[in-house]
Amino acid sequence: MLQKVICVDDDPIALLLSKLVISKANFASQIVTCVNGEEAVKYLENPETIEENSNSEQPLLILLDLNMPVMDGWEFLEQFSSKLQDIYNSTKIILLSSSIDPNDIKKSKDFSMVVDFLPKPLTKEMLILISEKISQ
């Protein structure tokens, strides 16, 4: 079981579904939700969050949507790469998107912390796959 999963999505139904699937599968002991990339960056930059995550033995996982207002998934990945990756060096990111654009999948490979690109919605079977990916 992971210590913490952060779900970043502007769709409240997708967030609720992700939380429900993660909870029912006992995949993480804590689930944090953010409605856009900016909120997620602020959460991760918070000194209390940094301290809390640095004490955690298990890696942090971020489930990230791409298409969001305020700050989309790509902008979040840029911010994470430049400002947060040194702090969260064991963090893995899974892109959860309704996009089927091959360019998005190709672009996701430019970010070392992105371990997979999966279609919405999150399922229990996907959590098994994610678990295998992040343990490698």
Side-chain angles (χ1 to χ4, degrees):
M1 178 184 286
L2 293 179
Q3 187 70 26
K4 183 185 293 185
V5 172
I6 299 175
C7 299
V8 186
D9 199 319
D10 63 315
D11 180 353
I13 294 169
L15 278 179
L16 181 65
L17 181 61
S18 291
K19 278 182 79 167
L20 188 64
V21 170
I22 292 166
S23 294
K24 285 201 177 256
N26 288 319
F27 187 75
S29 55
Q30 184 181 4
I31 306 163
V32 175
T33 57
C34 299
V35 295
N36 59 56
E38 182 178 72
E39 189 176 298
V41 168
K42 285 180 182 173
Y43 172 78
L44 291 168
E45 287 178 332
N46 181 325
E48 289 178 19
T49 304
I50 292 170
E51 180 66 27
E52 182 182 310
N53 288 327
S54 68
N55 292 334
S56 172
E57 293 177 25
Q58 298 176 348
L60 179 73
L61 176 68
I62 300 173
L63 301 175
L64 179 66
D65 184 26
L66 288 178
N67 301 313
M68 298 176 284
V70 184
M71 180 188 287
D72 68 19
W74 298 121
E75 292 168 305
F76 171 84
L77 287 170
E78 292 290 342
Q79 292 280 319
F80 188 90
S81 293
S82 64
K83 298 192 317 187
L84 297 165
Q85 194 166 12
D86 288 343
I87 299 167
Y88 299 102
N89 56 5
S90 64
T91 297
K92 307 290 186 207
I93 298 176
I94 302 287
L95 296 179
L96 273 182
S97 180
S98 52
S99 170
I100 55 169
D101 185 346
N103 291 324
D104 284 344
I105 296 167
K106 184 179 177 189
K107 185 177 178 180
S108 73
K109 294 180 189 327
D110 293 341
F111 297 93
S112 62
M113 74 295 287
V114 174
V115 295
D116 211 345
F117 191 110
L118 299 171
K120 284 184 180 180
L122 184 67
T123 65
K124 190 175 179 182
E125 292 75 25
M126 289 164 76
L127 289 178
I128 294 166
L129 176 69
I130 290 168
S131 188
E132 292 169 1
K133 288 264 185 184
I134 62 175
S135 65
Q136 293 177 354

